[in-house]
Amino acid sequence: MNHNPKIIGASIPRLDGKDKVTGRALYTDDLKFPGMLYGALHRSRLPHARIKKVDTSAAKKIKGVKDVVTGADTPQIKYGNWRLVPGSQDELPLAVDKVRFIGDEIAAVCAVDRETAIKAAEAIEVEYEELPAIYSVEEATAEGAPLLHDESPGNVSLTREISYGDLEGLLAQADYVREDFFKVHAVSHAYLEPCSSIAVPEEGGRVTLYTSTQTPYIVQCLLASTLDIPENHVRVVKTQVGGGFGGKMEMRPWEFAAAFMALRTGRPVKFTLTRSDELAFGRRRHPMSIRSKVGFTKDGKLLAKDFEVMLDGGAYNAMGPTATFLCGTFGNMLYNFQAYRYRGRHVYTNKPPASAMRGFGAPQAAFAQESQMNMAAEELGIDPIDLRLINAMETGDVIPDVATISSCGFKESLEKVRQVSGWDAKRKEKKPGVGLGIGCFSFISGGVFNWFNTKYNFAAAEVTVYPDGTAQLNTMACDIGQGPDTVLRQILAAELGIGIEKIRLVSMDTALTPKADLGTWGSRVTLMNGNAIIDAAKKIKDMLKPVLFDHLDLNQIHEIAFEDDRVLVKANPKKSMSFGECVYHALRGRRGEPLTARGYYTPRDKGLVSPAFSFGAQVAEVAVDQDTGLVTVTNTYTAHDCGVAINKMAVEGQLEGAIQMGLGYTLSEAFVMEQGRTLNTSFLDYKMPAAEDMPPSTYVEVETYEPEGPFGAKEAGEGLAIPTAPAIADAVYQATGFRALELPITPEKVLKGIGRLK
Amino acid sequence: MAKEIIELIVNGDRYEVAVEPWRTLAEVLREDLNLTGTKIGCNQGDCGACTVLMEGRSVSSCLTLAAEAHQREIVTIEGLAQGPEDLHPLQEAFVEHGAVQCGYCTPGMILSAKHLLDHNPTPSEQEIRQGLSGNLCRCTGYSKIVEAIGAAAAKMAPAGEGE
Ligand code: FES
Ligand code: FES
């Protein structure tokens, strides 16, 4: 495919980089408005209780307090991201009758300064009737367990089942069958910027919300519905966002409280969370209990798989339903087999809600699947890479009822990673305490399933071009650090044939950008918004082409190209005109009507899950200290098929960041919980890897061309967060003989595993 | 509680501010002086986002009381560039090498790096990583940050000293 290599595939430094290195970039908490009030929340102190009375009188008496609200003051409309299934919307911005986790929001205050607001929030008295609480999926689904939500018997809010092929028959036929149980834990997104939101009241009962979000459109809709005002009375403006990773993709109670109190007081209201709020009460990755049973022929052909998952959702659904669906999908990705059964259950417990987090169910499902592949390989006496090659998906393969794989570089990734890691030689030489292991992944490039029930296209772009040779791109796409503000301009620049510096961007303001974009999640932004932008740019080009035909008296058989800020006749490039001049003439011809075009993208006829899938394989090398049980990852090697990388440096950045997160997930990050209370609420006690903890990493790109992607691109943001845990676990096994079936792999577990600790 | 008047010299400019004794330098920089380039990632001294230089030493401004900074020279991220287009070599290298993603850790990272290079103009990779031990980043995995600091050091080192 022919495209400008100076733009597509180039490592263009991010365009907001300068603002970020000089301190000019503005994040929500950096903003101030005249008359602004500061908000604080009163949260539940109990994991499960009925609220008998909320006494706000003492709080209201404190000097400087401007408003105090409880659930009783609010419209009491439940919300949740799964608008398609209203029964799944189980959360209230401020609790009314019941609280379900320590930290559940009960009341909000605003005051002239932060200290007064905090004091007032603490002065609120809540009378509870304590209820028995449950903290694990096993307890929650046991006979007679207390119910969190009356509507969900057995505390199961959602069950997803997938079934095809003759599972029992094939398992009976298989030469080799194994069944294993895995457990994975919760971790924090730990984005560096704590959540912050400011609501500003506007004329006519409208409100503008500046907020640290990865889904402005979702926030707009849900804020409007919970406030019980029309959708377009709410304007959401995303500022710079200091990371999200799935943790900022829902409407949050403080966004509601800020807007609600801004409307009541007629003054701007700001809420900013603390790190301990984030760690103690914030969203997290789903813990899961996984059972997987697989059957192989003796020469390694995978025949059937029975996969069962219980997701520990915490107190509310949040993005749990999607994770429950996706676990089922990820359970039958990567390998071809004839029969599959999946049963996923989303279970309520009295803990902070789990939700979307980078990989969205896949890191958990893959830890089970990939670990099991490694165990099966050993017992079958087949090299783990060979076993994968026997079963690996290829371009054109069909996942029953789900998708057709339109591009797949999985086998190439396996071969490449085998080569760069020195796999064959290193796996043979067995040194105690040293090991090499593998994990693989596949991920979606955006979702097809419209759980938000948007009435708009999934992505939209508005492009205007000007006689000075510049263009403006208006888009709701959300840069939360991953880079679309740059990548999407690369796509537009390549399509229009103009320099990237010629493109101005207006982004993430629901009042100024075309409806809609569903936000940054599911690795959807580049593919979906890229396609919408190309659609708009093509319409612009169609407005410009007649100018050349007219001016040069061209025969209609000619084709026009757009390159290097010029519009030219393809067969005779000397015949050309500058892009700006061409826009000038077109504008004249349109009697002054600006050249603006809108483009859209909605995946249609693309199965049930995603229009495109990324693939890859990762090898981790570890050294294990047999006395302390400490695992050190000494190297990682990754081969990755993300289609055509639009911006190589940005893709590498995703990979390197994903390894940090994967390392933390596997070895050091975990919540310490006691009776529903999170005990480690600082970065001192919640340990994520620092610069010194990072292993060197080698990276090979396996380039495929994804026909559904803009310029052949597909996802690169989340898939890479998947393979690290199973790769490290396998390496630890090679080094010590201890096979971890539960995460994280702590020194204590290693020592127990090798019999050094009882 | 009674406020006291303190004097801060920030990026060469002199400020007089009335502060309560418990207020931190990070708060006063951000809220009173509107120097919001200094970020607060934890307010507990654990993440390094709030790093500034005080008398040439890198400090966590969220753990430093504003009163302790009385009459001290402070450098924040806003004070590093000579002009809007005239970036410090570290800033330039961070942009060029892709060391910035969400950017929230960036001001602190750059000031920690400045502190490191001021004391050790030709650090090894290991020394760079150690120099960043108090700065957390959730986006980049640190590789490009380490790379950028190395590149800036090479550029800044007097001829013959760089690698
Ligand atoms: S904000 Fe000061 S160290 Fe984190
Ligand atoms: S760039 Fe996001 S935390 Fe470092």
Side-chain angles (χ1 to χ4, degrees):
Chain A
M1 214 28 76
N2 225 346
H3 48 249
N4 187 347
K6 273 186 285 180
I7 298 182
I8 299 299
S11 286
I12 295 178
R14 49 184 312 135
L15 299 167
D16 57 5
K18 244 184 205 174
D19 283 352
K20 287 178 171 172
V21 298
T22 52
R24 286 198 300 258
L26 293 175
Y27 301 77
T28 303
D29 189 58
D30 300 338
L31 305 179
K32 253 190 216 172
F33 291 85
M36 190 172 83
L37 301 170
Y38 294 81
L41 293 163
H42 183 94
R43 297 170 177 275
S44 172
R45 299 195 167 122
L46 295 178
H48 198 189
R50 230 169 268 294
I51 298 174
K52 290 175 69 184
K53 193 171 150 212
V54 184
D55 182 357
T56 58
S57 54
K60 282 181 176 150
K61 278 190 210 122
I62 295 173
K63 217 171 134 235
V65 171
K66 297 296 170 189
D67 201 8
V68 181
V69 293
T70 69
D73 303 311
T74 67
Q76 304 184 12
I77 295 166
K78 287 187 174 176
Y79 69 100
N81 276 2
W82 268 51
R83 285 201 305 189
L84 189 66
V85 185
S88 75
Q89 297 184 290
D90 57 0
E91 222 163 337
L92 281 168
L94 295 175
V96 174
D97 52 345
K98 218 177 153 185
V99 285
R100 298 177 176 89
F101 71 97
I102 293 177
D104 216 348
E105 295 81 0
I106 296 175
V109 304
C110 59
V112 291
D113 58 36
R114 203 174 36 227
E115 289 69 31
T116 309
I118 292 170
K119 206 160 97 189
E122 279 166 4
I124 292 170
E125 295 279 348
V126 180
E127 215 179 291
Y128 299 100
E129 176 197 329
E130 191 162 0
L131 299 168
I134 40 179
Y135 307 113
S136 71
V137 290
E138 289 76 16
E139 279 176 82
T141 50
E143 270 285 312
L147 283 192
L148 271 81
H149 298 263
D150 295 339
E151 311 74 39
S152 296
N155 290 311
V156 174
S157 71
L158 178 119
T159 303
R160 162 81 168 156
E161 284 173 350
I162 303 174
S163 168
Y164 60 79
D166 175 14
L167 183 88
E168 303 301 341
L170 284 163
L171 285 177
Q173 258 175 49
D175 301 312
Y176 170 67
V177 175
R178 67 174 302 136
E179 183 173 29
D180 300 285
F181 296 84
F182 302 88
K183 264 197 171 171
V184 291
H185 65 306
V187 286
S188 171
H189 304 85
Y191 35 72
L192 254 271
E193 180 213 15
C195 290
S196 179
S197 306
I198 305 171
V200 180
E202 310 280 2
E203 49 86 21
R206 299 184 178 88
V207 65
T208 299
L209 184 78
Y210 298 83
T211 189
S212 176
T213 181
Q214 48 191 104
T215 51
Y217 169 65
I218 287 180
V219 172
Q220 178 194 19
C221 297
L222 296 181
L223 187 52
S225 67
T226 47
L227 290 170
D228 201 16
I229 61 177
E231 195 164 297
N232 290 301
H233 271 32
V234 175
R235 172 184 178 194
V236 175
V237 181
K238 184 197 77 92
T239 56
Q240 289 285 4
V241 173
F245 311 110
K248 297 177 178 172
M249 70 166 292
E250 299 164 64
M251 188 199 82
R252 283 75 54 89
W254 52 92
E255 291 174 320
F256 171 87
F260 188 60
M261 294 194 294
L263 288 171
R264 280 164 58 105
T265 59
R267 292 171 69 168
V269 179
K270 177 196 265 189
F271 278 81
T272 299
L273 265 53
T274 63
R275 179 57 54 187
S276 50
D277 291 337
E278 290 281 3
L279 287 169
F281 316 123
R283 299 298 204 228
R284 43 199 69 195
R285 178 176 280 162
H286 283 96
M288 295 188 194
S289 300
I290 303 174
R291 179 185 69 84
S292 181
K293 187 174 184 182
V294 282
F296 289 85
T297 64
K298 59 181 178 321
D299 37 10
K301 181 82 199 88
L302 181 55
L303 295 175
K305 178 166 176 177
D306 187 10
F307 200 54
E308 195 181 347
V309 177
M310 275 209 275
L311 294 90
D312 182 346
Y316 298 99
N317 271 325
M319 284 304 293
T322 311
T324 311
F325 269 60
L326 286 179
C327 269
T329 303
F330 297 127
N332 71 347
M333 285 301 300
L334 285 175
Y335 310 111
N336 292 307
F337 44 92
Q338 296 164 37
Y340 181 54
R341 183 167 68 191
Y342 170 70
R343 181 157 184 250
R345 282 177 291 167
H346 184 264
V347 182
Y348 289 129
T349 56
N350 294 109
K351 296 190 292 194
S355 194
M357 180 172 164
R358 201 176 195 175
F360 229 158
Q364 298 100 317
F367 176 66
Q369 160 167 302
E370 290 299 287
S371 294
Q372 202 171 32
M373 279 306 264
N374 291 331
M375 293 189 268
E378 185 179 28
E379 299 230 331
L380 286 162
I382 301 174
D383 176 88
I385 292 183
D386 291 333
L387 181 66
R388 286 171 169 87
L389 285 168
I390 294 169
N391 295 290
M393 283 180 166
E394 293 178 319
T395 304
D397 279 345
V398 176
I399 312 168
D401 300 331
V402 168
T404 301
I405 306 295
S406 40
S407 66
C408 175
F410 185 33
K411 286 190 168 170
E412 295 84 337
S413 297
L414 285 163
E415 298 290 6
K416 280 267 162 62
V417 88
R418 159 176 258 156
Q419 193 190 330
V420 294
S421 65
W423 176 267
D424 291 338
K426 286 182 190 163
R427 284 280 284 207
K428 269 191 211 110
E429 63 175 79
K430 292 224 180 266
K431 275 197 234 150
V434 179
L436 192 73
I438 186 165
C440 301
F441 69 92
S442 169
F443 201 70
I444 57 174
S445 308
V448 168
F449 183 37
N450 188 7
W451 41 259
F452 191 61
N453 199 19
T454 176
K455 308 298 182 287
Y456 297 101
N457 278 294
F458 281 20
E462 184 182 283
V463 175
T464 305
V465 291
Y466 301 91
D468 59 5
T470 66
Q472 178 161 315
L473 170 61
N474 289 25
T475 168
M476 251 188 215
C478 255
D479 198 327
I480 56 172
Q482 86 280 32
D485 282 1
T486 303
V487 166
L488 296 180
R489 275 186 274 187
Q490 282 178 262
I491 290 172
L492 181 59
E495 189 63 36
L496 287 181
I498 63 176
I500 192 169
E501 72 292 346
K502 300 264 166 61
I503 300 170
R504 283 180 301 280
L505 178 73
V506 173
S507 66
M508 318 145 314
D509 177 332
T510 60
L512 300 178
T513 54
K515 284 219 181 334
D517 178 61
L518 292 176
T520 294
W521 51 266
S523 292
R524 56 182 298 289
V525 178
T526 301
L527 185 136
M528 297 207 183
N529 288 278
N531 283 336
I533 288 168
I534 290 176
D535 183 30
K538 289 210 155 103
K539 291 175 188 166
I540 292 280
K541 291 187 345 190
D542 285 342
M543 296 175 194
L544 293 174
K545 285 175 187 171
V547 172
L548 238 70
F549 279 86
D550 181 17
H551 274 241
L552 301 172
D553 192 22
L554 289 180
N555 187 318
Q556 70 273 22
I557 62 165
H558 276 292
E559 189 48 281
I560 304 294
F562 293 74
E563 281 165 23
D564 295 328
D565 294 299
R566 300 197 73 77
V567 186
L568 43 98
V569 180
K570 231 179 168 177
N572 185 359
K574 277 197 208 104
K575 291 193 171 178
S576 73
M577 168 185 299
S578 80
F579 185 83
E581 199 186 342
C582 192
V583 175
Y584 170 85
H585 290 297
L587 196 54
R588 281 294 198 215
R590 291 160 64 89
R591 301 181 68 194
E593 187 188 332
L595 278 81
T596 297
R598 286 187 168 186
Y600 302 100
Y601 180 77
T602 297
R604 294 195 173 94
D605 198 20
K606 293 287 162 213
L608 282 178
V609 177
S610 176
F613 298 84
S614 69
F615 293 87
Q618 189 170 72
V619 167
E621 237 167 16
V622 304
V624 183
D625 184 324
Q626 314 258 3
D627 295 323
T628 63
L630 200 70
V631 176
T632 309
V633 178
T634 50
N635 245 313
T636 64
Y637 308 88
T638 312
H640 176 211
D641 156 29
C642 65
V644 174
I646 306 275
N647 186 322
K648 290 219 166 77
M649 189 158 76
V651 170
E652 283 166 25
Q654 288 299 309
L655 167 75
E656 290 156 0
I659 290 178
Q660 191 260 11
M661 226 179 237
L663 208 64
Y665 183 47
T666 315
L667 298 176
S668 63
E669 294 178 35
F671 286 108
V672 183
M673 308 265 317
E674 199 181 276
Q675 304 287 309
R677 184 180 308 279
T678 305
L679 301 180
N680 50 341
T681 61
S682 72
F683 281 145
L684 190 65
D685 300 321
Y686 181 91
K687 292 202 182 308
M688 58 176 183
E692 289 173 279
D693 305 321
M694 293 301 297
S697 70
T698 305
Y699 168 60
V700 207
E701 221 175 279
V702 172
E703 197 162 290
T704 59
Y705 186 90
E706 169 53 49
E708 186 66 13
F711 296 108
K714 50 188 177 178
E715 83 87 26
E718 293 184 80
L720 291 161
I722 301 168
T724 312
I728 293 175
D730 189 32
V732 169
Y733 174 71
Q734 298 302 320
T736 64
F738 162 59
R739 173 78 69 186
L741 303 180
E742 288 184 20
L743 291 178
I745 307 173
T746 57
E748 197 190 334
K749 280 186 200 154
V750 174
L751 290 180
K752 276 192 185 147
I754 59 176
R756 295 270 181 108
L757 199 75
K758 285 264 152 56
Chain B
M1 225 179 288
K3 289 188 180 184
E4 48 186 293
I5 306 274
I6 59 164
E7 189 185 319
L8 299 174
I9 306 138
V10 185
N11 305 326
D13 296 327
R14 204 166 278 275
Y15 299 87
E16 266 189 8
V17 235
V19 298
E20 290 94 343
W22 43 264
R23 291 192 72 208
T24 65
L25 179 59
E27 281 169 12
V28 171
L29 287 171
R30 290 177 50 79
E31 291 164 12
D32 297 51
L33 308 189
N34 284 322
L35 292 169
T36 53
T38 299
K39 298 295 177 225
I40 295 183
C42 69
N43 224 9
Q44 297 164 318
D46 300 324
C47 78
C50 65
T51 305
V52 300
L53 302 180
M54 185 155 86
E55 302 290 329
R57 276 186 34 244
S58 67
V59 297
S60 296
S61 61
C62 76
L63 285 188
T64 308
L65 291 176
E68 291 173 64
H70 179 49
Q71 291 187 339
R72 308 281 190 102
E73 291 261 6
I74 313 282
V75 176
T76 69
I77 193 69
E78 290 92 343
L80 228 51
Q82 298 305 308
E85 294 307 314
D86 193 4
L87 300 186
H88 185 278
L90 274 166
Q91 293 173 310
E92 220 156 63
F94 266 62
V95 175
E96 287 306 310
H97 289 262
V100 180
Q101 286 188 31
C102 82
Y104 206 76
C105 69
T106 307
M109 286 283 178
I110 291 179
L111 288 163
S112 289
K114 169 130 187 1
H115 172 81
L116 170 72
L117 297 190
D118 286 347
H119 294 83
N120 177 3
T122 54
S124 66
E125 184 189 325
Q126 197 45 39
E127 287 168 330
I128 296 176
R129 287 182 184 271
Q130 279 160 5
L132 299 178
S133 61
N135 293 76
L136 293 173
C137 175
R138 191 53 152 178
C139 302
T140 65
Y142 310 97
S143 330
K144 296 200 184 311
I145 294 177
V146 172
E147 227 177 274
I149 296 170
K155 206 167 162 196
M156 288 159 71
E161 274 188 45
E163 288 146 286

